[in-house]
Amino acid sequence: MLLWLFWRWWRPRRIRQQQQVAYLQALRVIAPLALQYKQRMPYLRAVAETLTSVPGVRAVIIQTADGVLVANNLSYASATRLMASPHVHVNNFRVDTTLLDAEWQQIFTKMSLSFVAFLRLEAEGGVLALLCSAPMTFDSQTRLFFESVRDEIVSGLKHIRLLETLHTRLDYDKRLRVLSNQLNRTLSEEQVVRMIGGGALNLIAADGVAVYVRLPNNRAYCAWAYNVSPRYIQQVLRQLNQMPGNQLVKGTAPILIPDVQALPETSPLRHVALENGIGAVGLWPLVYEGATIAALGTYFREPHVWTPEEQDALMAYARQAAIALENARHVHELRQRVRELTNIATASELLRVSTEVDAIAQVVCYQVHALTDMDFVFFVDPPQDNHVLHIRHVAGALPSWLRDITLPLQAAHLSEMVAQLQEPNVFRNPHKHPLLKDFVPPRVGYLVVVPLRDTQGELVGVLVAGQLRRLDNRYPQFSEIHYHMLTALAEMAGAALERARMFGDLEQAYFETVLALVKAIESRDHYTASHSEFIAHLAEATARQMGLREEEVRQVYWAALLHDVGKIAVPDHILRKPTALTDEEWRIMQKHPEWGARIVEHIPHLQPIAAIIRAHHERFDGRGYPLGLRDEQIPLAARIIAVADAFSAMVEDRVYRKSRPLDEALAELRRCVGTHFDPQVVDVFERVVREWYTAEKRQKRRLA
């Protein structure tokens, strides 16, 4: 009897001692687990497994505030059903199992469970559930143990959440640094837009991304999209362009729609998003200096809740993207300004050396087309009395309504309007303008008319540039910079046209001077005049065949025409002597190249040919006169004239001999190659002469 009483007294004490030992052992195991695991799921599994080793605890369920659920010795489905039971009351250490449904009563019977205890883990939610069997007693020590366990779990979850947040932020920071380095490169606006969209895909696991950019006219367009339907983008753009204040996004805060189905039934975005399989939408503004210049759209197929880390990362990324986009625009503008200044400098140099109206018109049209990206640019002569605009040159795509060489105006007062313009005038929607609508089609978005005036204010030309409408109305706008650039070009072109006119007058005076010199030669020696004209034509054709520039060809022609002008200073008894000259007379005759060069040196437009006239009697072997030049020392034009001069002397009649046949004359030239004449010049000259004589024979046969 004493033994039985002792056993009844000792056994509960022994059980409580074992439980206390188990409690302490479990606490020692649970306390450092948060330091071993850096993620919640492994940590909670380890805690649940440790608690099931406590005497009397058959199964454990842990559910966090954000819905993470871990069950040990119990299926996930059963644990979910239990936690969803309406009879679950937190901080309740004895839940009557009879209140549970029949399925759960069977589970309790099968597992020999007598009761279940619930403890709240966190203030914002979360439950620790203990499925216990007898003889578990919830005295003060047991309650203290489980409350201590509860506190350890709460502390461990906070620690792990901090670690997860820290690791997540570090990961986002690492990705942001990489993306920032990529965006900080010197890129075009199109490249930056593509990189912004691709970077967003790398930053978060979105199903689709779109980049919306605001135009200067405050309308938005989609510059880049991935896995987003065009119909949805079109609907979004309609909504964005209707926002007040010309903002892509109201304010600087993102627009987050975690669940599209939560939008009102009347929302158009709800229907179009659901039709395109979009479950969540995030629109992140790209703000630069207080203005929203673009927006980044992120799309998910399923509802999505953005974590604070995601939001911070995307907002930081949006700020970097806005800076990169604006920098790309600044770089583009800077490059555009450099290109414009370079082209203006090039145009200035080209216009400075251009002496013909056609060349000036070509330079101006090309430079305006290159600088402004206009679809077409054309140069028009000043309106005449017949009110017809003559188009001299066109750059860019020639519109069908400009196919004709002349463009008749529908009314005389339009030409008067053009004549009265003093500065560039921009006509927007010119097809609606009363003076332009008769010949400008609706496709022209805007037309720029630039008058070109000389220093006296006289109209010397008109420059017209235009931009055609695009289907999306996104044609480049005519900016203030374009206006100033056209004004500068107009001033340079006007001055160049005035110089061209003055040059034409000088050319006429130059031509008259040459004619006077030729007549002077002719009055002294009729043979010399006809001889020089024949040489001039042969030399000109040879120079052109040898690939000389047109200016050089003209110099060859004039030098050949005047190569014997120095004979004006030769006395008549020597110049017209029918017999051979004496040594003294020959020395005087050999001075005519130098005399001719000195004569033309005093005429500004003839100065370039002075050296040619001086050297036209030099020989290829260096035995010529007056300077004894040889090979490449002799100007090429002089080498050409020397061959033509010798050929002319052989094929023309002289008072002291008859002319030689063509083949004999050419054979004589080839015999003197390398001594008197340049071999290359003789080869080209022979081809020119044979073509010349062949064409002359055909002409004579036709006349016969």
Side-chain angles (χ1 to χ4, degrees), residues 410-432:
Q410 301 298 324
H413 56 278
L414 180 57
S415 62
E416 295 175 2
M417 180 199 72
V418 173
Q420 291 174 2
L421 290 178
Q422 299 297 324
E423 56 187 15
N425 202 329
V426 182
F427 297 93
R428 305 189 187 279
N429 298 318
H431 63 283
K432 297 181 179 179

Side-chain angles (χ1 to χ4, degrees), residues 228-239:
V228 185
S229 69
R231 184 172 181 274
Y232 178 80
I233 289 175
Q234 184 179 8
Q235 186 74 12
V236 168
L237 288 176
R238 187 177 298 115
Q239 296 294 320

